[in-house]
Amino acid sequence: HYFNDHLKTSFNDWKNHLRIEYVVSEINDGKHENFTLESLASSSGFASRANFNKAFLVVLNQTPTEYIRGLNLTKK
């Protein structure tokens, strides 16, 4: 009730948004250089890479790989 009426989102969408925020902070801290996307997805609570990619795309309008490539381009 709280999520739907007050936050205007579902519980799962809210939870996935928090998970993606966590993964983005890990990526920004350089963890993606030592860990696979599967391990980052797993550590943030996603059951599969497919679910992780889908949620990442919904939240950031790009895949995790595209996000990381964008970071690498700005570092050069």
Side-chain angles (χ1 to χ4, degrees), residues 25-45:
S25 71
E26 295 288 290
I27 291 170
N28 290 340
D29 289 343
K31 300 276 173 78
H32 68 285
E33 295 172 3
N34 300 323
F35 298 100
T36 64
L37 288 176
E38 287 85 1
S39 64
L40 288 172
S42 177
S43 71
S44 61

Side-chain angles (χ1 to χ4, degrees), residues 30-63:
K31 300 276 173 78
H32 68 285
E33 295 172 3
N34 300 323
F35 298 100
T36 64
L37 288 176
E38 287 85 1
S39 64
L40 288 172
S42 177
S43 71
S44 61
F46 287 97
S48 71
R49 184 174 175 173
N51 289 340
F52 171 63
N53 282 335
K54 195 182 312 180
F56 205 99
L57 191 60
V58 167
V59 173
L60 295 178
N61 294 320
Q62 56 186 338
T63 66

